[in-house]
Amino acid sequence: MPRRMWDQAWGWLAAITIALGVGGSVASGDDSATPNIVVIFCDDLGYGDLGCFGHPTIRTPELDRMAREGMKLTQFYSAAPVCTPSRAALLTGRLPVRTGMCSDTRRVLFPDSGGGLPASEITLAEALSERGYATACVGKWHLGHLPQFLPTSHGFDSYFGIPYSNDMDRIAEAPKGRAAFWEPRSEYWNVPLLADCHEVERPADQTTLTRRYTEAAVEFIEAHRETPFFLYLPHSMPHVPLFRSDAFENTSPRGLYGDVIEEIDWSVGRILETLRTQGLDKNTVVWFTSDNGPWLTFGDHGGSAGLLKDGKGTTWDGGMREPTIVWWPGSIPAGRVSHGLGTTMDIYVTSLTLAGADVPRDRVLDGVDLSPMVLEEKPSPRGEVFYYRGTRLMAVRQGAWKAHFMTQESYTGNNELLTHDPPLLYNLEADPGEQRDVAEAHPDVVASIAKLAASHKAGVEPVPSQLEIPLPTP
Ligand code: MG
């Protein structure tokens, strides 16, 4: 059905629904009422890894163009510094501590995990499906690999990708320790590649994943040009072990990591070009961001957080602030930079709002609607950011100020949980690298953030962790 007829049909349906008094969403009769939504979500990409975010040698012409045609967001955060909780938050609009998708003993889901995203959660795909959107997930899932937790059980019409991280399921014969990562081969990791719920390849040929994800994404867009769609594209890269296709071998002066980012850049270019050639660019909102910061303990196989402190696994800004671009030609002003606060959970609420879909009201949502900020350059409606590691609220940002109540190093070295009383305080506008603790000079700010943290904690009801559930015995 052509797009205009589709919207008209929705308009009639909504009018009938309202007339019958059974609620439901309201649609108007033009294309902008049901923009397509595309979310490109990298894995472990650092704040400083793109040309348009200041990297001197990684070339990202397509992302640079996306930023010139759209809006660059400089203060945009994931909801957690590691994969599983971060992904859960993006797709539910809720902090992982509310959904059970975090833990203080197991930081992410593993192949021996029996848990996953609970069916009671309303994913972005489910909410958009209700509104008539076609939905696809292409890429790394990491929200539970058992059939009841896979994308097709969570509102996606189709799925193609790997169910957990590309460094899991390492075979016993692979080189020990980190040796396997320095010269990686796909066969060292017995990671399955799934189509919907079915295994189609094992081990997945990781050298071709970025290319094949891109082809699947392009195919989905072309097949759904007449109906509204939601495409969720969580890349497996640049999570270690690093892989890229032959065409990108040894092309970047930054080395293997640079090759990997340049292939992702190519992928973004293919997707935006497909939207243009299909005449969908004026009717598609594309978000580009990452699930957490760079994995610094992997040396030059990890990315860079630029001037931000530390990386993946920590609640320093380098662990959770992401290089983010939002693009919607004709609707989002071109070439703008927003310093307003945002989080991936806001993508959930903003997308539902733009699509005219129902925003769930029967539960606590942590996302806010950023559409005034990105469409009209109004100030962000978000005043604060909560930095969680597992179930612990480690730090809180309020405006320019960030207070750390606890800190902990990422994976190696001193992994002791340190408590700070008074908390460490940084002004992220004056000191984005979190170098100068100014708590002593600003007791009023410390008191204000402590109060905010206490009231936030009082509003969080603990739920059982999904990450601690073992695989059921057969
Ligand atoms: Mg990650």
Side-chain angles (χ1 to χ4, degrees):
M1 185 189 304
R3 172 63 69 102
R4 233 159 247 291
M5 282 174 65
W6 176 269
D7 280 315
Q8 218 162 33
W10 265 106
W12 294 333
L13 186 63
I16 293 163
T17 312
I18 288 165
L20 293 173
V22 290
S25 50
V26 182
S28 68
D30 70 81
D31 285 2
S32 63
T34 48
N36 307 306
I37 311 283
V38 177
V39 177
I40 304 172
F41 206 48
C42 291
D43 196 346
D44 298 2
L45 180 71
Y47 189 79
D49 283 329
L50 307 181
C52 51
F53 276 79
H55 199 285
T57 56
I58 299 176
R59 291 161 302 196
T60 54
E62 302 295 346
L63 284 155
D64 301 352
R65 178 178 174 186
M66 182 182 177
R68 282 199 308 277
E69 295 176 354
M71 185 179 277
K72 200 165 93 165
L73 307 178
T74 65
Q75 319 252 357
F76 197 86
Y77 291 86
S78 64
V82 290
C83 295
T84 297
S86 174
R87 283 145 205 272
L90 166 73
L91 289 182
T92 62
R94 283 148 62 78
L95 285 165
V97 72
R98 299 190 203 278
T99 61
M101 294 299 284
C102 59
S103 154
D104 298 321
T105 53
R106 305 199 98 196
R107 301 194 70 182
V108 297
L109 290 165
F110 290 91
D112 66 355
S113 299
L117 188 66
S120 54
E121 294 301 320
I122 300 170
T123 67
L124 185 51
E126 282 164 334
L128 289 171
S129 286
E130 283 288 307
R131 180 77 169 104
Y133 278 59
T135 57
C137 174
V138 179
K140 166 177 155 181
W141 178 240
H142 216 179
L143 295 174
H145 69 284
L146 299 181
Q148 67 270 31
F149 299 122
L150 286 173
T152 45
S153 300
H154 273 301
F156 289 98
D157 303 334
S158 65
Y159 174 52
F160 177 70
I162 64 173
Y164 39 72
S165 294
N166 63 328
D167 65 337
M168 293 178 175
D169 261 347
R170 190 183 338 190
I171 63 165
E173 297 76 21
K176 302 295 170 224
R178 293 197 168 183
F181 292 88
W182 303 141
E183 293 202 32
R185 291 167 177 225
S186 291
E187 57 268 29
Y188 292 166
W189 293 271
N190 193 31
V191 178
L193 182 66
L194 307 184
D196 296 336
C197 294
H198 310 290
E199 206 174 287
V200 291
E201 189 176 297
R202 190 166 192 167
D205 175 0
Q206 296 205 36
T207 62
T208 57
L209 282 182
T210 300
R211 179 171 59 73
R212 285 191 285 172
Y213 290 167
T214 308
E215 286 163 0
V218 165
E219 206 174 290
F220 172 78
I221 293 169
E222 289 174 348
H224 294 87
R225 61 188 301 269
E226 303 291 352
T227 55
F229 61 80
F230 168 46
L231 169 64
Y232 173 46
L233 174 50
H235 279 289
S236 307
M237 295 288 131
H239 191 293
V240 294
L242 298 174
F243 291 98
R244 75 294 201 220
S245 59
D246 293 347
F248 289 86
E249 219 174 301
N250 303 322
T251 55
S252 171
R254 170 62 176 83
L256 175 55
Y257 186 86
D259 293 352
V260 167
I261 303 305
E262 292 183 11
E263 186 165 21
I264 289 174
D265 182 69
W266 162 83
S267 170
V268 170
R270 282 282 291 129
I271 287 164
L272 300 190
E273 194 50 33
T274 303
L275 293 171
R276 287 187 199 98
T277 54
Q278 297 293 323
L280 297 171
D281 51 323
K282 301 283 192 300
N283 191 36
T284 304
V285 188
V286 183
W287 295 87
F288 177 92
T289 187
S290 177
D291 68 336
N292 52 254
W295 206 345
L296 298 177
T297 60
F298 273 88
D300 68 354
H301 284 232
S304 164
L307 82 175
L308 304 180
K309 188 166 180 171
D310 217 311
K312 174 175 178 171
T314 77
T315 46
W316 297 103
D317 256 39
M320 292 174 58
R321 204 198 290 195
E322 312 302 337
T324 303
I325 305 168
V326 58
W327 180 93
W328 185 8
S331 294
I332 290 175
R336 303 303 169 88
V337 178
S338 171
H339 303 298
L341 287 182
T343 76
T344 53
M345 297 175 289
D346 306 335
I347 293 177
Y348 179 94
V349 177
T350 307
S351 299
L352 294 184
T353 306
L354 293 175
D358 289 329
V359 178
R361 302 200 187 284
D362 62 340
R363 59 198 66 210
V364 178
L365 288 183
D366 297 287
V368 297
D369 175 20
L370 293 181
S371 50
M373 180 176 108
V374 300
L375 297 177
E376 300 160 50
E377 299 185 84
K378 292 200 170 140
S380 172
R382 172 175 286 285
E384 62 275 318
V385 175
F386 298 100
Y387 300 70
Y388 274 89
R389 177 181 175 126
T391 68
R392 296 189 184 104
L393 181 64
M394 306 285 284
V396 176
R397 176 171 179 175
Q398 186 174 40
W401 300 95
K402 178 177 175 186
H404 293 262
F405 300 95
M406 290 178 273
T407 54
Q408 191 172 12
E409 296 310 311
S410 54
Y411 288 93
T412 55
N414 176 13
N415 213 25
E416 196 188 336
L417 178 68
L418 302 174
T419 302
H420 305 286
D421 187 16
L424 310 175
L425 183 73
Y426 300 94
N427 182 321
L428 291 181
E429 284 173 6
D431 179 22
E434 298 173 271
Q435 299 295 316
R436 294 178 294 281
D437 173 17
V438 291
E440 224 169 273
H442 298 282
D444 52 329
V445 177
V446 169
S448 163
I449 299 184
K451 199 173 152 198
L452 174 63
S455 81
H456 167 76
K457 279 199 222 172
V460 175
E461 283 178 34
V463 296
S465 173
Q466 291 290 322
L467 279 51
E468 292 164 20
I469 300 172
L471 208 56
T473 41

